[in-house]
Amino acid sequence: MDFNLPGEDDPRRQAVRAFLAEHPAPTGPQLGDAGYMVPHWPRPWGLGADPIHQLIIDEEFRSAGVRRPPNPIGLGWAGPTLIEAGTEEQQQRWLHGLVSGEDLWCQLFSEPGAGSDLAAISTVAERDGDEWVVNGQKVWTSLAHHARWGILIARTGPSVEAARDSDGGDSKHSGITYFVCPMDAEGIEIRPLIEMTGAHTFNEVFFTDVRLPDAYRVGDVGQGWSLAKITLANERVSLSSGGVLWGQGPHTETLFDEVRAAGGVVDPVMRQRLAQTWIEGEVLRLIRMRTISAVVAGKSPGPEASVRKVVADEHGQAVMELAKDLAGPAGMLTDGGPLGRSVALWHYGYLFARALTVGGGTGEVQRNILGERVLGLPHEPSTS
């Protein structure tokens, strides 16, 4: 790791401080207008910021206690796709509300029969003049009940079965098209999926003769698979490490703050678990810093960037399990925190952490990807 951020007199740092002095609690539209919501995006949506500039902005925002309004699907998936493949009209229609945080987005990709094998989707979009008629079902759609817009992939080419029969399934990737879908369109039904945490984040979404204008199609017919993968190339540097629940929730250090505040731990087995958890947290921090250092130096991140998700997900579960065990019998209560510290977030985090090694690709799938694509090991035998 080898990078030093510019000092106090850097004009980019001064510009951020001047903005924060004028807007000490900036709104989403103010951040969007200034290019600070997604500074790495090209103008006028961002600042075209290089990695160093992004790090400066994040550092100043963190020091000022400023957080951007959340819009993870919009900023991480929809926006980059529209910038790369959307028409100018589509960009003008959707990017303003997206960048300001006023329009929340969701992702309509996964289906009951198409999880890890996303190209096996069966939701169909059929052309009817200047419109597309969509029928099918999506699942695990985060924030669908709040979102104004969704990014949707649907089958416009041969069915998965027909593609498999004709060429072994390769054409199933070319039979997918990418759309923007208004979540209040007639024929859309959203059913909640209540998590064991008691929260409602996920949903099932059903499409019954939903009509989308052809103007809501992004890219060419059949190009949807390549567009769906654009987000993988949309790297963003951030100096803030985020919490252990996919960047949310408590940090690893939060648990140790609780232990210190309670006077420490005497039990030798628990002390060893704490030491191991701290080591894992440090390893993850160093992996992240190596990745940032590579990007700042203009290099592509190495295999450590791919390894990080697997390690981070299991570490998040370890942190939450340790916090629950430190609570002792009080851990059975929703407000029972470690060592008698009554903090409800630990109970919620413990339940939510079960999802870490499932969402975004299971730990097993991730290990296969690492072995085959990063380490160059032989591919897993096909059972089809």
mmCIF file of all heavy atoms in Angstrom, residues 165-213:
data_model
loop_
_atom_site.group_PDB
_atom_site.id
_atom_site.type_symbol
_atom_site.label_atom_id
_atom_site.label_comp_id
_atom_site.label_asym_id
_atom_site.label_seq_id
_atom_site.Cartn_x
_atom_site.Cartn_y
_atom_site.Cartn_z
ATOM 1 N N ASP A 165 -32.153 -26.928 -26.143
ATOM 2 C CA ASP A 165 -32.315 -27.983 -27.140
ATOM 3 C C ASP A 165 -31.559 -27.679 -28.429
ATOM 4 O O ASP A 165 -31.053 -28.577 -29.101
ATOM 5 C CB ASP A 165 -33.805 -28.173 -27.469
ATOM 6 C CG ASP A 165 -34.582 -28.756 -26.286
ATOM 7 O OD1 ASP A 165 -33.932 -29.304 -25.381
ATOM 8 O OD2 ASP A 165 -35.818 -28.633 -26.266
ATOM 9 N N SER A 166 -31.463 -26.365 -28.768
ATOM 10 C CA SER A 166 -30.871 -25.992 -30.055
ATOM 11 C C SER A 166 -29.346 -25.957 -30.028
ATOM 12 O O SER A 166 -28.687 -26.373 -30.969
ATOM 13 C CB SER A 166 -31.397 -24.625 -30.503
ATOM 14 O OG SER A 166 -30.974 -23.612 -29.596
ATOM 15 N N ASP A 167 -28.761 -25.436 -28.935
ATOM 16 C CA ASP A 167 -27.299 -25.285 -28.944
ATOM 17 C C ASP A 167 -26.668 -25.477 -27.577
ATOM 18 O O ASP A 167 -25.604 -24.941 -27.318
ATOM 19 C CB ASP A 167 -26.920 -23.901 -29.490
ATOM 20 C CG ASP A 167 -27.421 -22.770 -28.586
ATOM 21 O OD1 ASP A 167 -28.073 -23.071 -27.569
ATOM 22 O OD2 ASP A 167 -27.133 -21.609 -28.906
ATOM 23 N N GLY A 168 -27.353 -26.204 -26.733
ATOM 24 C CA GLY A 168 -26.765 -26.437 -25.418
ATOM 25 C C GLY A 168 -27.002 -25.303 -24.447
ATOM 26 O O GLY A 168 -26.485 -25.308 -23.349
ATOM 27 N N GLY A 169 -27.778 -24.295 -24.833
ATOM 28 C CA GLY A 169 -28.148 -23.239 -23.902
ATOM 29 C C GLY A 169 -27.427 -21.932 -24.094
ATOM 30 O O GLY A 169 -27.709 -20.964 -23.399
ATOM 31 N N ASP A 170 -26.467 -21.867 -25.034
ATOM 32 C CA ASP A 170 -25.705 -20.633 -25.174
ATOM 33 C C ASP A 170 -26.592 -19.456 -25.563
ATOM 34 O O ASP A 170 -26.364 -18.330 -25.125
ATOM 35 C CB ASP A 170 -24.600 -20.808 -26.224
ATOM 36 C CG ASP A 170 -23.496 -21.724 -25.724
ATOM 37 O OD1 ASP A 170 -23.439 -21.935 -24.497
ATOM 38 O OD2 ASP A 170 -22.725 -22.230 -26.552
ATOM 39 N N SER A 171 -27.605 -19.686 -26.407
ATOM 40 C CA SER A 171 -28.405 -18.567 -26.890
ATOM 41 C C SER A 171 -29.342 -18.012 -25.840
ATOM 42 O O SER A 171 -29.979 -16.989 -26.072
ATOM 43 C CB SER A 171 -29.216 -18.991 -28.125
ATOM 44 O OG SER A 171 -30.157 -19.986 -27.781
ATOM 45 N N LYS A 172 -29.443 -18.673 -24.687
ATOM 46 C CA LYS A 172 -30.300 -18.113 -23.644
ATOM 47 C C LYS A 172 -29.767 -16.758 -23.178
ATOM 48 O O LYS A 172 -30.522 -15.916 -22.715
ATOM 49 C CB LYS A 172 -30.418 -19.081 -22.461
ATOM 50 C CG LYS A 172 -29.153 -19.274 -21.634
ATOM 51 C CD LYS A 172 -29.372 -20.287 -20.528
ATOM 52 C CE LYS A 172 -28.108 -20.499 -19.702
ATOM 53 N NZ LYS A 172 -28.318 -21.510 -18.646
ATOM 54 N N HIS A 173 -28.458 -16.532 -23.326
ATOM 55 C CA HIS A 173 -27.889 -15.242 -22.960
ATOM 56 C C HIS A 173 -28.255 -14.161 -23.976
ATOM 57 O O HIS A 173 -28.415 -12.998 -23.621
ATOM 58 C CB HIS A 173 -26.364 -15.337 -22.847
ATOM 59 C CG HIS A 173 -25.897 -16.227 -21.738
ATOM 60 N ND1 HIS A 173 -25.753 -17.582 -21.894
ATOM 61 C CD2 HIS A 173 -25.560 -15.950 -20.458
ATOM 62 C CE1 HIS A 173 -25.338 -18.111 -20.755
ATOM 63 N NE2 HIS A 173 -25.203 -17.139 -19.862
ATOM 64 N N SER A 174 -28.400 -14.533 -25.236
ATOM 65 C CA SER A 174 -28.689 -13.544 -26.276
ATOM 66 C C SER A 174 -30.176 -13.283 -26.422
ATOM 67 O O SER A 174 -30.571 -12.422 -27.200
ATOM 68 C CB SER A 174 -28.115 -14.005 -27.621
ATOM 69 O OG SER A 174 -28.712 -15.234 -28.012
ATOM 70 N N GLY A 175 -31.012 -14.019 -25.704
ATOM 71 C CA GLY A 175 -32.456 -13.820 -25.813
ATOM 72 C C GLY A 175 -33.034 -12.954 -24.718
ATOM 73 O O GLY A 175 -34.237 -13.001 -24.449
ATOM 74 N N ILE A 176 -32.186 -12.134 -24.058
ATOM 75 C CA ILE A 176 -32.615 -11.313 -22.923
ATOM 76 C C ILE A 176 -32.513 -9.837 -23.291
ATOM 77 O O ILE A 176 -31.541 -9.415 -23.926
ATOM 78 C CB ILE A 176 -31.749 -11.626 -21.689
ATOM 79 C CG1 ILE A 176 -32.000 -13.064 -21.229
ATOM 80 C CG2 ILE A 176 -32.020 -10.643 -20.558
ATOM 81 C CD1 ILE A 176 -31.052 -13.538 -20.153
ATOM 82 N N THR A 177 -33.520 -9.064 -22.899
ATOM 83 C CA THR A 177 -33.536 -7.629 -23.190
ATOM 84 C C THR A 177 -33.754 -6.852 -21.891
ATOM 85 O O THR A 177 -34.383 -7.342 -20.952
ATOM 86 C CB THR A 177 -34.651 -7.294 -24.211
ATOM 87 O OG1 THR A 177 -34.398 -8.042 -25.410
ATOM 88 C CG2 THR A 177 -34.671 -5.821 -24.555
ATOM 89 N N TYR A 178 -33.211 -5.677 -21.853
ATOM 90 C CA TYR A 178 -33.160 -4.834 -20.647
ATOM 91 C C TYR A 178 -34.174 -3.697 -20.767
ATOM 92 O O TYR A 178 -34.229 -3.012 -21.786
ATOM 93 C CB TYR A 178 -31.743 -4.269 -20.550
ATOM 94 C CG TYR A 178 -31.324 -3.660 -19.252
ATOM 95 C CD1 TYR A 178 -30.389 -4.292 -18.441
ATOM 96 C CD2 TYR A 178 -31.796 -2.418 -18.839
ATOM 97 C CE1 TYR A 178 -29.942 -3.729 -17.267
ATOM 98 C CE2 TYR A 178 -31.371 -1.847 -17.654
ATOM 99 C CZ TYR A 178 -30.443 -2.506 -16.874
ATOM 100 O OH TYR A 178 -29.994 -1.947 -15.704
ATOM 101 N N PHE A 179 -34.967 -3.499 -19.714
ATOM 102 C CA PHE A 179 -35.993 -2.456 -19.711
ATOM 103 C C PHE A 179 -35.923 -1.638 -18.420
ATOM 104 O O PHE A 179 -35.404 -2.098 -17.401
ATOM 105 C CB PHE A 179 -37.399 -3.074 -19.791
ATOM 106 C CG PHE A 179 -37.666 -3.891 -21.012
ATOM 107 C CD1 PHE A 179 -37.415 -5.261 -21.021
ATOM 108 C CD2 PHE A 179 -38.190 -3.298 -22.156
ATOM 109 C CE1 PHE A 179 -37.675 -6.028 -22.146
ATOM 110 C CE2 PHE A 179 -38.448 -4.061 -23.291
ATOM 111 C CZ PHE A 179 -38.190 -5.429 -23.284
ATOM 112 N N VAL A 180 -36.489 -0.438 -18.477
ATOM 113 C CA VAL A 180 -36.813 0.324 -17.277
ATOM 114 C C VAL A 180 -38.311 0.183 -17.070
ATOM 115 O O VAL A 180 -39.100 0.353 -18.007
ATOM 116 C CB VAL A 180 -36.425 1.810 -17.418
ATOM 117 C CG1 VAL A 180 -36.970 2.611 -16.241
ATOM 118 C CG2 VAL A 180 -34.907 1.949 -17.490
ATOM 119 N N CYS A 181 -38.702 -0.147 -15.848
ATOM 120 C CA CYS A 181 -40.111 -0.440 -15.561
ATOM 121 C C CYS A 181 -40.635 0.478 -14.464
ATOM 122 O O CYS A 181 -40.066 0.520 -13.362
ATOM 123 C CB CYS A 181 -40.248 -1.901 -15.134
ATOM 124 S SG CYS A 181 -41.922 -2.384 -14.685
ATOM 125 N N PRO A 182 -41.719 1.222 -14.722
ATOM 126 C CA PRO A 182 -42.348 2.004 -13.646
ATOM 127 C C PRO A 182 -43.051 1.051 -12.683
ATOM 128 O O PRO A 182 -43.841 0.208 -13.091
ATOM 129 C CB PRO A 182 -43.346 2.895 -14.391
ATOM 130 C CG PRO A 182 -43.638 2.166 -15.662
ATOM 131 C CD PRO A 182 -42.397 1.390 -16.010
ATOM 132 N N MET A 183 -42.774 1.171 -11.402
ATOM 133 C CA MET A 183 -43.290 0.210 -10.435
ATOM 134 C C MET A 183 -44.766 0.406 -10.122
ATOM 135 O O MET A 183 -45.355 -0.418 -9.410
ATOM 136 C CB MET A 183 -42.451 0.272 -9.160
ATOM 137 C CG MET A 183 -41.005 -0.164 -9.368
ATOM 138 S SD MET A 183 -40.857 -1.812 -10.123
ATOM 139 C CE MET A 183 -41.540 -2.846 -8.831
ATOM 140 N N ASP A 184 -45.362 1.475 -10.639
ATOM 141 C CA ASP A 184 -46.803 1.669 -10.452
ATOM 142 C C ASP A 184 -47.579 1.314 -11.717
ATOM 143 O O ASP A 184 -48.764 1.643 -11.844
ATOM 144 C CB ASP A 184 -47.114 3.110 -10.045
ATOM 145 C CG ASP A 184 -46.631 4.133 -11.081
ATOM 146 O OD1 ASP A 184 -45.970 3.739 -12.060
ATOM 147 O OD2 ASP A 184 -46.918 5.334 -10.890
ATOM 148 N N ALA A 185 -46.946 0.618 -12.658
ATOM 149 C CA ALA A 185 -47.617 0.260 -13.904
ATOM 150 C C ALA A 185 -48.758 -0.724 -13.630
ATOM 151 O O ALA A 185 -48.694 -1.556 -12.729
ATOM 152 C CB ALA A 185 -46.621 -0.369 -14.879
ATOM 153 N N GLU A 186 -49.806 -0.615 -14.424
ATOM 154 C CA GLU A 186 -50.952 -1.512 -14.289
ATOM 155 C C GLU A 186 -50.511 -2.943 -14.601
ATOM 156 O O GLU A 186 -49.798 -3.191 -15.574
ATOM 157 C CB GLU A 186 -52.065 -1.093 -15.250
ATOM 158 C CG GLU A 186 -53.339 -1.919 -15.107
ATOM 159 C CD GLU A 186 -54.457 -1.431 -16.007
ATOM 160 O OE1 GLU A 186 -54.281 -0.371 -16.648
ATOM 161 O OE2 GLU A 186 -55.505 -2.106 -16.072
ATOM 162 N N GLY A 187 -50.937 -3.881 -13.738
ATOM 163 C CA GLY A 187 -50.575 -5.278 -13.933
ATOM 164 C C GLY A 187 -49.423 -5.739 -13.059
ATOM 165 O O GLY A 187 -49.090 -6.927 -13.049
ATOM 166 N N ILE A 188 -48.813 -4.824 -12.294
ATOM 167 C CA ILE A 188 -47.740 -5.196 -11.362
ATOM 168 C C ILE A 188 -48.331 -5.418 -9.980
ATOM 169 O O ILE A 188 -49.068 -4.577 -9.460
ATOM 170 C CB ILE A 188 -46.648 -4.116 -11.308
ATOM 171 C CG1 ILE A 188 -45.847 -4.077 -12.609
ATOM 172 C CG2 ILE A 188 -45.699 -4.375 -10.135
ATOM 173 C CD1 ILE A 188 -44.728 -3.067 -12.616
ATOM 174 N N GLU A 189 -48.019 -6.555 -9.392
ATOM 175 C CA GLU A 189 -48.432 -6.859 -8.020
ATOM 176 C C GLU A 189 -47.184 -7.112 -7.191
ATOM 177 O O GLU A 189 -46.338 -7.930 -7.558
ATOM 178 C CB GLU A 189 -49.338 -8.086 -7.971
ATOM 179 C CG GLU A 189 -49.779 -8.451 -6.562
ATOM 180 C CD GLU A 189 -50.558 -9.745 -6.489
ATOM 181 O OE1 GLU A 189 -50.766 -10.381 -7.551
ATOM 182 O OE2 GLU A 189 -50.938 -10.138 -5.369
ATOM 183 N N ILE A 190 -47.060 -6.416 -6.072
ATOM 184 C CA ILE A 190 -45.907 -6.534 -5.183
ATOM 185 C C ILE A 190 -46.361 -7.187 -3.886
ATOM 186 O O ILE A 190 -47.256 -6.691 -3.207
ATOM 187 C CB ILE A 190 -45.275 -5.155 -4.892
ATOM 188 C CG1 ILE A 190 -44.820 -4.489 -6.196
ATOM 189 C CG2 ILE A 190 -44.101 -5.296 -3.923
ATOM 190 C CD1 ILE A 190 -44.355 -3.058 -6.020
ATOM 191 N N ARG A 191 -45.754 -8.321 -3.561
ATOM 192 C CA ARG A 191 -46.084 -9.037 -2.333
ATOM 193 C C ARG A 191 -44.871 -9.029 -1.405
ATOM 194 O O ARG A 191 -43.764 -9.371 -1.818
ATOM 195 C CB ARG A 191 -46.480 -10.478 -2.634
ATOM 196 C CG ARG A 191 -47.715 -10.619 -3.520
ATOM 197 C CD ARG A 191 -48.034 -12.089 -3.752
ATOM 198 N NE ARG A 191 -49.079 -12.268 -4.756
ATOM 199 C CZ ARG A 191 -49.466 -13.458 -5.220
ATOM 200 N NH1 ARG A 191 -48.883 -14.561 -4.769
ATOM 201 N NH2 ARG A 191 -50.417 -13.534 -6.141
ATOM 202 N N PRO A 192 -45.068 -8.656 -0.152
ATOM 203 C CA PRO A 192 -43.927 -8.557 0.771
ATOM 204 C C PRO A 192 -43.389 -9.916 1.180
ATOM 205 O O PRO A 192 -44.132 -10.903 1.290
ATOM 206 C CB PRO A 192 -44.525 -7.821 1.981
ATOM 207 C CG PRO A 192 -45.980 -8.180 1.950
ATOM 208 C CD PRO A 192 -46.338 -8.259 0.484
ATOM 209 N N LEU A 193 -42.084 -9.983 1.391
ATOM 210 C CA LEU A 193 -41.418 -11.134 1.993
ATOM 211 C C LEU A 193 -40.832 -10.651 3.320
ATOM 212 O O LEU A 193 -39.873 -9.880 3.338
ATOM 213 C CB LEU A 193 -40.311 -11.669 1.081
ATOM 214 C CG LEU A 193 -40.759 -12.293 -0.243
ATOM 215 C CD1 LEU A 193 -39.549 -12.590 -1.127
ATOM 216 C CD2 LEU A 193 -41.555 -13.557 -0.010
ATOM 217 N N ILE A 194 -41.452 -11.042 4.413
ATOM 218 C CA ILE A 194 -41.022 -10.579 5.732
ATOM 219 C C ILE A 194 -39.852 -11.439 6.201
ATOM 220 O O ILE A 194 -39.932 -12.672 6.229
ATOM 221 C CB ILE A 194 -42.175 -10.648 6.752
ATOM 222 C CG1 ILE A 194 -43.407 -9.903 6.211
ATOM 223 C CG2 ILE A 194 -41.731 -10.070 8.088
ATOM 224 C CD1 ILE A 194 -43.170 -8.453 5.909
ATOM 225 N N GLU A 195 -38.762 -10.794 6.566
ATOM 226 C CA GLU A 195 -37.579 -11.506 7.018
ATOM 227 C C GLU A 195 -37.743 -11.951 8.471
ATOM 228 O O GLU A 195 -38.617 -11.458 9.182
ATOM 229 C CB GLU A 195 -36.358 -10.588 6.908
ATOM 230 C CG GLU A 195 -36.157 -9.994 5.530
ATOM 231 C CD GLU A 195 -35.346 -8.714 5.571
ATOM 232 O OE1 GLU A 195 -34.525 -8.570 6.501
ATOM 233 O OE2 GLU A 195 -35.536 -7.865 4.704
ATOM 234 N N MET A 196 -36.889 -12.850 8.907
ATOM 235 C CA MET A 196 -36.978 -13.284 10.299
ATOM 236 C C MET A 196 -36.566 -12.179 11.265
ATOM 237 O O MET A 196 -36.793 -12.282 12.471
ATOM 238 C CB MET A 196 -36.134 -14.538 10.529
ATOM 239 C CG MET A 196 -34.648 -14.382 10.411
ATOM 240 S SD MET A 196 -33.836 -15.968 10.779
ATOM 241 C CE MET A 196 -32.119 -15.542 10.543
ATOM 242 N N THR A 197 -35.965 -11.115 10.742
ATOM 243 C CA THR A 197 -35.678 -9.946 11.578
ATOM 244 C C THR A 197 -36.945 -9.170 11.905
ATOM 245 O O THR A 197 -36.939 -8.295 12.770
ATOM 246 C CB THR A 197 -34.710 -8.990 10.849
ATOM 247 O OG1 THR A 197 -35.345 -8.533 9.643
ATOM 248 C CG2 THR A 197 -33.403 -9.672 10.505
ATOM 249 N N GLY A 198 -38.021 -9.460 11.185
ATOM 250 C CA GLY A 198 -39.256 -8.697 11.319
ATOM 251 C C GLY A 198 -39.349 -7.553 10.336
ATOM 252 O O GLY A 198 -40.389 -6.908 10.206
ATOM 253 N N ALA A 199 -38.252 -7.303 9.616
ATOM 254 C CA ALA A 199 -38.228 -6.197 8.662
ATOM 255 C C ALA A 199 -38.792 -6.640 7.313
ATOM 256 O O ALA A 199 -38.890 -7.833 7.019
ATOM 257 C CB ALA A 199 -36.804 -5.679 8.483
ATOM 258 N N HIS A 200 -39.144 -5.678 6.501
ATOM 259 C CA HIS A 200 -39.676 -5.934 5.160
ATOM 260 C C HIS A 200 -38.794 -5.194 4.169
ATOM 261 O O HIS A 200 -38.939 -3.998 3.952
ATOM 262 C CB HIS A 200 -41.131 -5.451 5.069
ATOM 263 C CG HIS A 200 -41.683 -5.433 3.676
ATOM 264 N ND1 HIS A 200 -42.749 -4.633 3.313
ATOM 265 C CD2 HIS A 200 -41.323 -6.096 2.547
ATOM 266 C CE1 HIS A 200 -43.023 -4.805 2.035
ATOM 267 N NE2 HIS A 200 -42.162 -5.689 1.546
ATOM 268 N N THR A 201 -37.866 -5.919 3.601
ATOM 269 C CA THR A 201 -36.983 -5.368 2.574
ATOM 270 C C THR A 201 -37.241 -6.024 1.223
ATOM 271 O O THR A 201 -37.318 -5.349 0.203
ATOM 272 C CB THR A 201 -35.504 -5.576 2.949
ATOM 273 O OG1 THR A 201 -35.251 -4.968 4.219
ATOM 274 C CG2 THR A 201 -34.586 -4.960 1.914
ATOM 275 N N PHE A 202 -37.409 -7.350 1.230
ATOM 276 C CA PHE A 202 -37.573 -8.112 -0.010
ATOM 277 C C PHE A 202 -39.047 -8.213 -0.414
ATOM 278 O O PHE A 202 -39.946 -8.060 0.400
ATOM 279 C CB PHE A 202 -37.012 -9.529 0.158
ATOM 280 C CG PHE A 202 -35.553 -9.572 0.478
ATOM 281 C CD1 PHE A 202 -35.103 -10.146 1.650
ATOM 282 C CD2 PHE A 202 -34.628 -9.044 -0.402
ATOM 283 C CE1 PHE A 202 -33.760 -10.207 1.941
ATOM 284 C CE2 PHE A 202 -33.277 -9.099 -0.126
ATOM 285 C CZ PHE A 202 -32.839 -9.674 1.053
ATOM 286 N N ASN A 203 -39.237 -8.535 -1.693
ATOM 287 C CA ASN A 203 -40.581 -8.685 -2.229
ATOM 288 C C ASN A 203 -40.597 -9.697 -3.362
ATOM 289 O O ASN A 203 -39.570 -9.963 -3.995
ATOM 290 C CB ASN A 203 -41.094 -7.347 -2.806
ATOM 291 C CG ASN A 203 -41.093 -6.221 -1.801
ATOM 292 O OD1 ASN A 203 -42.051 -6.007 -1.093
ATOM 293 N ND2 ASN A 203 -39.976 -5.499 -1.723
ATOM 294 N N GLU A 204 -41.785 -10.239 -3.617
ATOM 295 C CA GLU A 204 -42.078 -10.915 -4.868
ATOM 296 C C GLU A 204 -42.793 -9.904 -5.757
ATOM 297 O O GLU A 204 -43.601 -9.106 -5.268
ATOM 298 C CB GLU A 204 -42.999 -12.108 -4.652
ATOM 299 C CG GLU A 204 -42.426 -13.238 -3.836
ATOM 300 C CD GLU A 204 -43.448 -14.343 -3.654
ATOM 301 O OE1 GLU A 204 -44.401 -14.146 -2.885
ATOM 302 O OE2 GLU A 204 -43.299 -15.397 -4.291
ATOM 303 N N VAL A 205 -42.507 -9.921 -7.035
ATOM 304 C CA VAL A 205 -43.167 -9.012 -7.977
ATOM 305 C C VAL A 205 -43.736 -9.841 -9.124
ATOM 306 O O VAL A 205 -43.000 -10.608 -9.762
ATOM 307 C CB VAL A 205 -42.186 -7.949 -8.524
ATOM 308 C CG1 VAL A 205 -42.916 -6.995 -9.467
ATOM 309 C CG2 VAL A 205 -41.554 -7.164 -7.375
ATOM 310 N N PHE A 206 -45.041 -9.686 -9.363
ATOM 311 C CA PHE A 206 -45.721 -10.435 -10.413
ATOM 312 C C PHE A 206 -46.125 -9.489 -11.538
ATOM 313 O O PHE A 206 -46.624 -8.380 -11.285
ATOM 314 C CB PHE A 206 -46.969 -11.127 -9.847
ATOM 315 C CG PHE A 206 -46.648 -12.190 -8.815
ATOM 316 C CD1 PHE A 206 -46.458 -11.846 -7.484
ATOM 317 C CD2 PHE A 206 -46.530 -13.514 -9.185
ATOM 318 C CE1 PHE A 206 -46.150 -12.814 -6.538
ATOM 319 C CE2 PHE A 206 -46.226 -14.494 -8.248
ATOM 320 C CZ PHE A 206 -46.040 -14.139 -6.917
ATOM 321 N N PHE A 207 -45.923 -9.932 -12.770
ATOM 322 C CA PHE A 207 -46.259 -9.150 -13.963
ATOM 323 C C PHE A 207 -47.377 -9.875 -14.723
ATOM 324 O O PHE A 207 -47.214 -11.026 -15.117
ATOM 325 C CB PHE A 207 -45.043 -9.016 -14.883
ATOM 326 C CG PHE A 207 -43.888 -8.274 -14.268
ATOM 327 C CD1 PHE A 207 -42.996 -8.914 -13.421
ATOM 328 C CD2 PHE A 207 -43.690 -6.928 -14.541
ATOM 329 C CE1 PHE A 207 -41.930 -8.237 -12.861
ATOM 330 C CE2 PHE A 207 -42.629 -6.241 -13.980
ATOM 331 C CZ PHE A 207 -41.750 -6.900 -13.138
ATOM 332 N N THR A 208 -48.476 -9.178 -14.900
ATOM 333 C CA THR A 208 -49.594 -9.722 -15.675
ATOM 334 C C THR A 208 -49.963 -8.731 -16.768
ATOM 335 O O THR A 208 -50.564 -7.687 -16.497
ATOM 336 C CB THR A 208 -50.815 -9.990 -14.780
ATOM 337 O OG1 THR A 208 -50.430 -10.862 -13.702
ATOM 338 C CG2 THR A 208 -51.935 -10.649 -15.576
ATOM 339 N N ASP A 209 -49.543 -9.037 -17.994
ATOM 340 C CA ASP A 209 -49.811 -8.173 -19.149
ATOM 341 C C ASP A 209 -49.410 -6.721 -18.881
ATOM 342 O O ASP A 209 -50.146 -5.785 -19.185
ATOM 343 C CB ASP A 209 -51.297 -8.243 -19.539
ATOM 344 C CG ASP A 209 -51.698 -9.623 -20.037
ATOM 345 O OD1 ASP A 209 -50.831 -10.320 -20.591
ATOM 346 O OD2 ASP A 209 -52.871 -9.994 -19.872
ATOM 347 N N VAL A 210 -48.230 -6.545 -18.300
ATOM 348 C CA VAL A 210 -47.710 -5.198 -18.040
ATOM 349 C C VAL A 210 -47.175 -4.623 -19.342
ATOM 350 O O VAL A 210 -46.350 -5.256 -20.018
ATOM 351 C CB VAL A 210 -46.599 -5.241 -16.977
ATOM 352 C CG1 VAL A 210 -45.985 -3.849 -16.791
ATOM 353 C CG2 VAL A 210 -47.141 -5.770 -15.658
ATOM 354 N N ARG A 211 -47.630 -3.434 -19.703
ATOM 355 C CA ARG A 211 -47.230 -2.813 -20.966
ATOM 356 C C ARG A 211 -46.165 -1.746 -20.730
ATOM 357 O O ARG A 211 -46.355 -0.830 -19.926
ATOM 358 C CB ARG A 211 -48.447 -2.201 -21.671
ATOM 359 C CG ARG A 211 -49.399 -3.262 -22.220
ATOM 360 C CD ARG A 211 -50.528 -2.673 -23.060
ATOM 361 N NE ARG A 211 -51.235 -3.741 -23.770
ATOM 362 C CZ ARG A 211 -50.922 -4.173 -24.987
ATOM 363 N NH1 ARG A 211 -49.918 -3.617 -25.645
ATOM 364 N NH2 ARG A 211 -51.613 -5.158 -25.552
ATOM 365 N N LEU A 212 -45.040 -1.915 -21.447
ATOM 366 C CA LEU A 212 -43.940 -0.967 -21.370
ATOM 367 C C LEU A 212 -43.705 -0.374 -22.748
ATOM 368 O O LEU A 212 -43.603 -1.123 -23.729
ATOM 369 C CB LEU A 212 -42.659 -1.648 -20.889
ATOM 370 C CG LEU A 212 -42.692 -2.319 -19.514
ATOM 371 C CD1 LEU A 212 -41.351 -2.988 -19.241
ATOM 372 C CD2 LEU A 212 -43.018 -1.309 -18.428
ATOM 373 N N PRO A 213 -43.596 0.956 -22.857
ATOM 374 C CA PRO A 213 -43.265 1.553 -24.158
ATOM 375 C C PRO A 213 -41.900 1.087 -24.633
ATOM 376 O O PRO A 213 -40.998 0.819 -23.829
ATOM 377 C CB PRO A 213 -43.262 3.057 -23.857
ATOM 378 C CG PRO A 213 -43.981 3.218 -22.561
ATOM 379 C CD PRO A 213 -43.758 1.955 -21.791
#
